[in-house]
């Protein structure tokens, strides 16, 4: 059955650093006729602590997130929980794959984690899988490349969906990104802990972006885009970065 | 020493009580795809074998008779520019009259038996190192990779196929298997009957310097396979 | 990055431009070769699944398969030694060499022998050791350690190798790999034919028949295990498969994964020593089963790393390895496999940085022929590292603070408002070019955007107030 309502988990990075990506996601979902619930009190999925090996702290943030996503389900939705849409491959992967592991032995949060994991989708994955849409009637100008974020690509196995959505945007020229599937070097706290290695990996990605001739790098993970965008800006390159949703809204931005 | 063995096995047993081994199953199930492919005829197997071996720089000879096979071998021997060779016994070479023809052509077959005492051992190896060509039979061939399977025996030395820079192998067409798995299915009982079963796939090579390929390192530089009809 | 030994090695590697070229070459070439190798394998996915299954099953019954293997080896006339650790393993080899009055040992490639530092032990006993694999021979001459599991000398340019051979072997200076190979061949041939003992590794042991399988391309493995009068093979206890049929599956993925070849040039199956009637081969075969921590790892959540077949594909796929090379890891096993295996074998302290040197991109897991989940184990090691108290102070303090804030939405809101007020004035045209430590690592290499003027949740609320469809789900009173 096609969903009519979705829950939106915006992610801490969209909330603080790239709200326009979140607004674009909301607009696209509304245009598809979906009602969006934004569970108040959402903050962070806990991935930074998890990746850092501080699993108790990660669990605390995960419990908070599960509480936020699972409370106050209205009676009419009790048997049809809404899909959770996340505008980030890595956060979605955290919830889908690591939440059940973190609470494997927890009698309360174990079942919650499994439930939430089973209905969490990354934005592009959701659009193509659930309503089954690939053409949103979007149009935009310019030459872009698509950067497939690692957790989205290899963690969730999502690659066709964003590419399909992008290819249907009228007027847009999508060119090949050399070494597209190579990690950009963000890796969360890795960018700070191993900053020189991260910087070297970033350079390689930036060289590839510049050689592609694209004017904009499109991705589904704002975290990668911040890292790539920050590097492009440092280089003085006039290349933008955009979340996929921003190209699907037809807004003049 | 028994105590070392027992204590190691005991440590392993203990660890297995808490081992996290994803994908481990009670038993390995039978293979879902067939190992033996009886539908492939000798012709198809020979063609595949030839194609794969040739792609590796092996020279594959396809004589139509034993006489032609003999001539092919002699031609390579003559071109080698040397006189001393290492060869398996006549009966291992699968071509009647080949052994005789080699002797008649004036090539010296070095005695391959390496003594077990240190000084004579070294002397013999130095002598064997002079051979320019090694001539062997083959227990089998693998069609999917162009591979030779050679098994040691009383008249089948290891050195013949590794020391000389040129190796000629005589392989009857009927001994070409589709894959290694097929070979093992039919011949695994032979594996322990000799100390060394070697699968040879092409001439020796290395790319250890800047990944630049060089053919001919410690093993033979040139391989000739004569397929016996 | 702070001033640790690891970081210093990384620094050195990142600033080495000829290493950069060499790494680019090896990782891109091997990646292409591997890809083509698997493209030509029928049922490639099923074969990999089966290979994984074989490794998992074998380890789950390792005690009985090892016992079966040892019995089969002995039935074929070989001797088995059970070495609990490095000292025991080296001890067996040195004792055997001394017993036989061996003065020279020729060696085929063996990662286990690197692990136990066998060469040092033999040399300390007055025995000359010569590495016969060309890459190992080169680094032995250079007094270095291998930088890649498959191509040990790949960090060296051909000019560097030419210079080295000129100095150490006295051959004329050249940069032609063919000439260098010929010179090495001539020198090593003499060694093969006069060495008293051959020492090799083992790619796989076969429990059913007591066979050891060694794969190689140069022929040095064949000569090392055929010419000398005694052959000693070092084998990690996890390198076992139950039957010959299982071996054939492993061989289908090993060479393809490592170099893209369908099979290595020589796949040697050795079952026992030279038979009485055979004309050549070593009269004695000794197999040293090396534990050195493997049995302990087997009982942990890191046991999956024992599935590894040492193909090196994870190194070639790893974007971190591609930047820093093998030596930066400072360990016998570099790359993704080394980042798990090294702390697993030797303890998380002093190897805690290795599991941190990863963006968890998953490329290693994708290419592993037996689908080992290396990222999972890197995360396990990071957890272990934290519990061992090895987390750097700023994270040990900072992450719990972040957690405190992120589990209290009002506080989170306040904190992000404060962060916005503080950083926005410091930004120039929306970007911060310098962040203070410990965040300075970011701005060493890229700019950081100023926090957005209005956070997403505020913008969404504004939109909602204007009568949009979206509903904010507020907590009902309880």
């Amino acid at each position: 059955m096609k969903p009519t309502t979705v829950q939106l988990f915006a992610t801490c990075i969209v909330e603080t650093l790239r709200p326009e990506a979140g607004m674009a996601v909301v607009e696209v979902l509304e245009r598809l006729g979906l009602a969006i619930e934004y569970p108040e009190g959402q903050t962070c999925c806990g991935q930074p602590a998890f990746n850092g090996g501080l699993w108790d702290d990660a669990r605390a943030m995960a419990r908070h997130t599960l509480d936020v996503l699972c409370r106050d389900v209205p009676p009419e939705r009790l048997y049809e929980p809404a899909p959770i849409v996340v505008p980030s491959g890595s956060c979605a992967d955290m919830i889908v794959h690591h939440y059940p592991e973190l609470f494997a032995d927890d009698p309360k949060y174990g079942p919650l984690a499994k439930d939430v994991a089973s209905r969490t989708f990354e934005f592009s994955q959701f659009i193509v899988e659930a309503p089954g849409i690939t053409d949103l009637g979007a149009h935009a100008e310019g030459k872009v490349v698509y950067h497939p974020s690692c957790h989205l690509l290899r963690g969730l196995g999502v690659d066709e969906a964003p590419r399909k959505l992008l290819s249907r945007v009228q007027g847009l020229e999508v060119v090949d990104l050399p070494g597209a599937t190579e990690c950009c070097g963000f890796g969360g706290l890795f960018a700070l802990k191993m900053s020189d290695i991260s910087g070297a990996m970033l350079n390689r990605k930036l060289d590839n972006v510049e050689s592609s001739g694209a004017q904009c790098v499109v991705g589904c993970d704002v975290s990668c885009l911040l890292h790539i965008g920050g590097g492009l800006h440092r280089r003085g390159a006039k290349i933008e970065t955009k979340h996929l949703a921003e190209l699907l809204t037809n807004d003049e931005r | 020493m028994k105590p070392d063995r027992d204590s190691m096995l005991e440590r392993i047993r203990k660890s297995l009580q808490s081992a996290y081994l994803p994908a481990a199953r009670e038993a390995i199930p039978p293979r879902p795809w067939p190992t033996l492919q009886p539908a492939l005829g000798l012709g198809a197997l020979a063609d595949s074998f030839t194609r794969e071996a040739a792609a590796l720089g092996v020279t594959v000879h396809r004589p139509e008779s034993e006489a032609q096979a003999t001539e092919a071998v002699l031609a390579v021997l003559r071109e080698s520019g040397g006189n001393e060779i290492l060869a398996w016994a006549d009966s291992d070479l699968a071509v009647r009259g080949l052994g005789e023809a080699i002797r008649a052509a004036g090539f010296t077959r070095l005695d391959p038996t390496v003594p077990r005492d240190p000084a004579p051992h070294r002397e013999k190896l130095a002598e064997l190192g002079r051979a320019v060509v090694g001539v062997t039979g083959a227990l089998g061939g693998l069609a999917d990779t162009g591979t030779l399977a050679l098994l040691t025996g009383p008249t089948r030395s290891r050195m013949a196929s590794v020391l000389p820079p040129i190796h000629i192998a005589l392989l009857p067409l009927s001994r070409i298997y589709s894959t290694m798995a097929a070979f093992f299915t039919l011949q695994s009982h032979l594996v322990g009957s000799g100390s060394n079963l070697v699968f040879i796939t092409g001439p020796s090579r290395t790319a250890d310097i800047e990944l630049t390929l060089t053919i001919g390192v410690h093993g033979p530089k040139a391989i000739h396979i004569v397929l016996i009809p | 990055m702070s001033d640790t030994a690891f970081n210093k090695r990384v620094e050195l590697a990142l600033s080495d431009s000829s290493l950069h070229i060499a790494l680019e070459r090896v990782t891109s070439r091997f990646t292409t070769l591997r890809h083509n190798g698997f493209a030509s394998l029928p049922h490639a996915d099923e074969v990999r699944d089966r290979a994984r299954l074989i490794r998992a099953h074998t380890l789950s019954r390792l005690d009985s398969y090892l016992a079966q293997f040892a019995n089969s080896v002995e039935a074929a006339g070989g001797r088995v030694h059970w070495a609990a650790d490095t000292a025991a393993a080296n001890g067996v080899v040195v004792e055997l060499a001394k017993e036989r009055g061996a003065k020279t040992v020729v060696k085929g490639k063996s990662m286990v022998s690197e692990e136990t530092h066998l060469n040092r032990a033999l040399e300390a006993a007055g025995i000359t050791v010569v590495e016969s694999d060309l890459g190992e021979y080169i680094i032995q001459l250079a007094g270095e350690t291998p930088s890649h599991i498959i191509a040990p000398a790949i960090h060296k340019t051909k000019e560097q190798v030419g210079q080295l051979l000129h100095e150490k072997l006295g051959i004329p200076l050249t940069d032609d790999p063919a000439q260098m190979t010929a010179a090495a061949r001539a020198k090593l041939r003499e060694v093969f034919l006069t060495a008293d003992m051959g020492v090799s590794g083992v790619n796989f042991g076969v429990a059913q028949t007591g066979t050891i399988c060694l794969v190689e391309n140069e022929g040095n493995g064949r000569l090392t295990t055929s010419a000398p009068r005694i052959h000693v093979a070092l084998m990690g206890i996890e390198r076992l498969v139950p039957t010959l049929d299982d071996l054939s599956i492993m061989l289908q993925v090993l060479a393809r994964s490592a170099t893209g070849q369908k099979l290595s040039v020589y796949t040697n199956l050795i079952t026992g020593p030279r038979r009485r009637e055979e004309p050549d081969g070593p009269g004695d075969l000794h197999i040293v089963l090396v534990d050195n921590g493997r049995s302990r790892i087997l009982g942990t959540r890191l046991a999956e790393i024992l599935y590894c077949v040492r193909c090196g594909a994870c190194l070639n796929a790893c974007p971190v390895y591609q930047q820093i090379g093998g030596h930066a890891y400072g360990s016998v096993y570099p790359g993704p496999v080394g980042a798990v295996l090294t702390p697993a074998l030797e303890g998380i302290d002093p190897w805690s940085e290795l599991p941190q040197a990863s963006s968890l991109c998953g490329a290693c897991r994708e290419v592993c022929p037996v689908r080992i989940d290396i990222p999972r184990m890197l995360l396990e090691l990071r957890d272990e590292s934290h519990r061992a108290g090895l987390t750097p102070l700023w994270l040990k303090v900072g992450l719990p603070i972040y957690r405190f804030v992120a589990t209290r939405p009002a506080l989170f809101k306040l904190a992000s408002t404060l962060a916005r007020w503080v950083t926005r004035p410091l930004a120039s045209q929306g970007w911060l070019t310098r962040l203070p430590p410990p965040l300075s690592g970011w701005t060493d290499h890229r700019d950081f955007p100023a926090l957005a003027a209005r956070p997403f949740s505020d913008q969404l609320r504004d939109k909602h107030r204007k009568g949009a469809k979206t509903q904010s789900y507020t907590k009902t009173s309880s």
Side-chain angles (χ1 to χ4, degrees):
Chain A
M1 246 194 85
K2 277 166 103 172
T4 54
T5 307
V6 298
Q7 287 186 299
L8 178 65
F9 182 73
T11 79
C12 58
I13 292 193
V14 164
E15 165 74 2
T16 58
L17 287 161
R18 197 68 174 245
E20 54 268 36
M23 296 307 290
V25 164
V26 165
E27 195 176 312
V28 170
L29 292 172
E30 284 179 345
R31 192 144 34 91
L32 290 173
L34 294 160
I36 302 173
E37 283 171 18
Y38 174 78
E40 290 280 357
Q42 54 181 267
T43 54
C44 172
C45 68
Q47 189 176 205
F50 180 69
N51 285 356
L54 279 73
W55 290 1
D56 288 338
D57 294 293
R59 278 195 194 92
M61 288 188 263
R63 277 194 295 269
H64 173 79
T65 301
L66 286 172
D67 285 337
V68 161
L69 291 170
C70 293
R71 67 165 180 272
D72 304 329
V73 177
E76 61 269 18
R77 272 242 318 282
L78 218 51
Y79 298 104
E80 267 173 42
I84 301 165
V85 177
V86 184
S88 158
S90 67
C91 305
D93 185 53
M94 175 72 193
I95 295 172
V96 170
H97 287 122
H98 297 301
Y99 272 26
E101 285 166 14
L102 280 174
F103 297 108
D105 300 322
D106 188 314
K108 174 180 176 197
Y109 286 97
L112 282 183
K114 280 210 194 106
D115 164 62
V116 165
S118 70
R119 57 188 175 95
T120 295
F121 299 89
E122 179 275 335
F123 168 73
S124 69
Q125 177 190 25
F126 172 75
I127 299 209
V128 170
E129 279 183 31
I133 309 274
T134 53
D135 192 340
L136 291 156
H139 51 83
E141 294 286 306
K143 213 189 217 189
V144 307
V145 280
Y146 173 67
H147 164 72
S149 304
C150 297
H151 283 84
L152 181 66
L153 176 68
R154 298 191 192 94
L156 291 172
V158 174
D159 193 47
E160 254 194 79
R163 286 182 191 279
K164 269 212 190 105
L165 287 167
L166 209 52
S167 69
R168 303 280 197 273
V169 177
Q170 295 274 11
L172 201 63
E173 190 193 343
V174 184
V175 294
D176 271 340
L177 174 62
T181 57
E182 290 166 11
C183 178
C184 67
F186 174 68
L189 288 171
F190 171 79
L192 293 171
K193 284 191 288 191
M194 297 279 165
S195 54
D196 291 342
I197 304 178
S198 168
M201 290 160 73
L202 175 62
N203 262 337
R204 192 180 158 86
K205 178 64 70 172
L206 296 180
D207 288 344
N208 282 333
V209 166
E210 288 190 299
S211 76
S212 73
Q215 302 155 309
C216 176
V217 178
V218 184
C220 294
D221 263 79
V222 174
S223 46
C224 299
L225 294 176
L226 286 179
H227 164 83
I228 294 173
L232 288 168
H233 189 260
R234 175 66 63 92
R235 278 192 182 190
K238 302 276 177 278
I239 302 174
E240 295 185 290
T241 60
K242 283 202 195 280
H243 184 274
L244 175 63
E246 296 177 74
L247 287 175
L248 298 176
T249 58
N250 291 346
D251 269 4
E252 304 308 321
R253 284 180 202 275
Chain B
M1 269 176 64
K2 275 238 104 196
D4 290 345
R5 170 181 167 133
D6 291 340
S7 57
M8 192 185 291
L9 292 176
E10 187 46 43
R11 278 200 302 278
I12 292 171
R13 267 189 284 273
K14 198 138 170 279
S15 280
L16 284 175
Q17 287 167 20
S18 58
Y20 175 60
L21 293 166
R25 303 214 343 221
E26 282 291 311
I28 298 170
R31 213 195 283 253
W33 60 92
T35 305
L36 298 176
Q37 295 170 72
L40 289 176
L42 279 185
L45 287 174
D47 287 343
S48 172
F49 180 89
T50 304
R51 200 174 46 240
E52 293 295 326
L56 295 165
V58 171
T59 309
V60 182
H61 306 260
R62 303 198 54 171
E64 283 162 12
S65 67
E66 288 193 317
Q68 280 187 18
T70 302
E71 189 40 48
V73 174
L74 288 175
V76 177
L77 287 174
R78 281 192 288 263
E79 262 176 48
S80 72
N83 179 265
E84 290 170 306
I85 69 172
L86 281 175
W88 287 5
D90 290 0
S91 53
D92 297 312
L93 299 180
V95 176
R96 277 170 312 203
L98 175 57
E100 247 325 293
I102 292 176
R103 270 184 288 276
F107 291 96
T108 314
R109 286 158 84 143
L110 299 172
D111 175 4
T113 314
V114 179
R116 294 171 190 254
D117 289 325
H121 183 270
R122 248 180 241 138
E123 266 174 45
K124 171 54 87 169
L125 285 178
E127 178 198 328
L128 298 179
R130 292 198 313 255
V132 287
V133 182
V135 186
T136 71
L139 176 61
L142 307 180
D144 64 337
T145 50
T147 299
L148 290 167
L150 271 62
L151 179 66
T152 51
T155 54
R156 299 188 296 272
S157 75
R158 302 185 189 196
M159 291 305 156
S161 62
V162 69
L163 264 187
I166 302 172
H167 173 205
I168 308 175
L170 292 126
L171 174 64
L173 281 175
S174 60
R175 294 196 202 162
I176 299 180
Y177 301 81
S178 55
T179 63
M180 188 186 290
F183 173 80
F184 281 143
T185 299
L186 296 166
Q187 301 289 13
S188 66
H189 58 285
L190 284 180
V191 169
S193 65
S195 61
N196 181 209
L197 169 67
V198 64
F199 291 106
I200 300 174
T201 311
S204 67
R205 50 187 269 170
T206 183
D208 274 343
I209 299 173
E210 276 199 10
L211 286 192
T212 308
L213 187 63
T214 301
I215 303 285
V217 194
H218 306 292
K221 185 172 178 152
I223 311 269
H224 292 260
I225 300 179
V226 182
L227 295 179
I228 316 296
Chain C
M1 280 162 62
S2 66
D3 227 6
T4 64
F6 173 77
N7 289 343
K8 290 205 199 99
R9 287 193 298 265
V10 167
E11 196 64 50
L12 212 63
L14 290 175
S15 56
D16 185 338
S17 53
S18 75
L19 175 65
H20 186 78
I21 295 172
L23 288 172
E24 172 70 46
R25 176 188 302 123
V26 70
T27 55
S28 64
R29 181 83 63 78
F30 275 145
T31 296
T32 306
L33 289 173
R34 179 200 165 272
H35 177 83
N36 296 343
F38 274 97
S40 75
L41 176 63
H43 316 286
D45 276 334
E46 286 98 330
V47 175
R48 283 170 75 186
D49 288 339
R50 194 174 175 81
R52 176 175 174 76
L53 181 59
I54 290 168
R55 298 298 296 128
H57 168 78
T58 307
L59 287 166
S60 73
R61 300 256 186 294
L62 188 62
D63 53 335
S64 65
Y65 282 126
L66 260 183
Q68 183 189 14
F69 174 72
N71 295 343
S72 305
V73 169
E74 283 160 0
R79 287 275 312 278
V80 178
H81 306 263
W82 301 75
D85 54 25
T86 285
N90 292 347
V92 167
V93 186
V94 170
E95 266 320 296
L96 283 170
K98 282 193 181 147
E99 260 174 49
R100 310 290 293 248
K103 293 288 183 294
T104 319
V105 166
V106 66
K107 267 191 75 206
K109 205 160 177 313
S110 160
M111 292 304 295
V112 170
S113 73
E114 307 269 351
E115 205 182 303
T116 67
H117 304 291
L118 175 66
N119 292 10
R120 234 189 279 157
L122 286 166
E123 279 155 9
I127 298 162
T128 308
V129 185
V130 183
E131 293 284 349
S132 67
D133 170 272
L134 182 60
E136 296 281 350
Y137 182 61
I138 290 169
I139 61 174
Q140 182 181 39
L141 288 176
E144 293 178 25
T145 54
S147 66
H148 188 289
I149 291 175
I150 301 300
I154 212 62
H155 57 288
K156 289 186 149 358
T157 63
K158 55 187 200 290
E159 290 79 13
Q160 287 168 336
V161 179
Q163 180 66 36
L164 179 72
L165 295 180
H166 172 63
E167 275 166 37
K168 301 281 178 171
L169 300 183
I171 60 164
L173 190 61
T174 175
D175 71 353
D176 175 13
Q179 282 185 41
M180 292 183 240
T181 303
R185 179 185 189 281
K187 189 81 204 350
L188 287 168
R189 202 163 168 89
E190 205 188 299
V191 174
F192 289 128
L193 301 183
T194 58
D196 303 302
M197 177 192 266
V199 172
S200 78
V202 172
N203 289 91
F204 298 107
V206 182
Q208 174 187 45
T209 52
T211 300
I212 53 174
C213 176
L214 283 73
V215 315
E216 45 125 359
N217 288 310
E218 298 173 17
N220 67 302
R222 286 203 71 196
L223 285 169
T224 298
T225 59
S226 300
R229 289 166 297 121
I230 169 175
H231 169 206
V232 181
L234 290 158
M235 180 176 139
I237 55 172
E238 85 282 16
R239 308 295 249 122
L240 210 54
V241 293
T243 67
L244 289 170
D245 185 72
D246 298 324
L247 177 67
S248 72
I249 293 287
M250 303 314 301
L251 291 172
Q252 275 195 307
V253 299
L254 179 60
R256 284 182 159 92
S257 239
T259 58
Q261 292 168 280
K262 292 178 184 172
L263 279 179
S264 304
V265 177
Y266 302 107
T267 302
N268 287 297
L269 271 60
I270 295 169
T271 314
R274 165 183 182 177
R275 303 290 189 269
R276 192 157 293 287
E277 340 69 72
E278 285 179 349
D280 58 17
D284 292 295
L285 171 65
H286 292 257
I287 299 179
V288 185
L289 296 173
V290 182
D291 183 349
N292 206 26
R294 289 155 172 75
S295 61
R296 182 182 32 79
I297 295 173
L298 187 59
T300 71
R301 289 188 62 86
L302 302 177
E304 199 184 346
I305 201 62
L306 298 174
Y307 296 15
C308 177
V309 300
R310 306 287 192 268
C311 69
C314 58
L315 274 64
N316 302 327
C318 179
V320 171
Y321 178 88
Q322 187 177 53
Q323 296 298 332
I324 68 177
H327 288 150
Y329 292 78
S331 54
V332 170
Y333 301 100
V337 56
V340 176
L341 192 55
T342 312
L345 286 172
E346 300 188 26
I348 191 66
D349 199 354
W351 297 108
S352 59
E353 283 149 311
L354 295 194
Q356 307 288 353
S358 165
S359 60
L360 301 175
C361 78
C364 50
R365 177 182 53 212
E366 196 173 52
V367 300
C368 176
V370 290
R371 307 196 202 280
I372 297 173
D373 194 348
I374 292 182
R376 170 184 71 83
M377 291 187 282
L378 292 173
L379 286 164
E380 300 267 0
L381 284 164
R382 291 178 184 190
D383 168 49
E384 192 185 322
S385 175
H386 177 66
R387 284 183 286 110
L390 298 168
T391 304
L393 189 64
W394 70 281
L395 285 171
K396 222 194 302 227
V397 171
L399 279 171
I401 291 178
Y402 183 65
R403 183 255 307 149
F404 188 86
V405 171
T407 49
R408 293 160 176 75
L411 203 50
F412 188 84
K413 200 89 195 152
L414 180 63
S416 67
T417 304
L418 282 173
R420 204 161 56 240
W421 284 355
V422 167
T423 57
R424 282 190 70 83
L426 296 174
S428 138
Q429 290 172 334
W431 292 94
L432 295 157
T433 54
R434 274 243 288 243
L435 291 172
L439 306 174
S440 49
W442 183 279
T443 44
D444 284 346
H445 301 282
R446 67 231 107 177
D447 294 335
F448 192 80
L451 267 64
R454 283 185 72 63
F456 170 70
S457 52
D458 286 356
Q459 291 192 37
L460 188 61
R461 196 168 301 123
D462 290 349
K463 187 175 150 109
H464 172 62
R465 282 206 204 95
K466 291 178 194 154
K469 277 162 48 171
T470 300
Q471 321 236 332
S472 268
Y473 219 92
T474 50
K475 196 174 182 152
T476 52
S477 53
S478 47

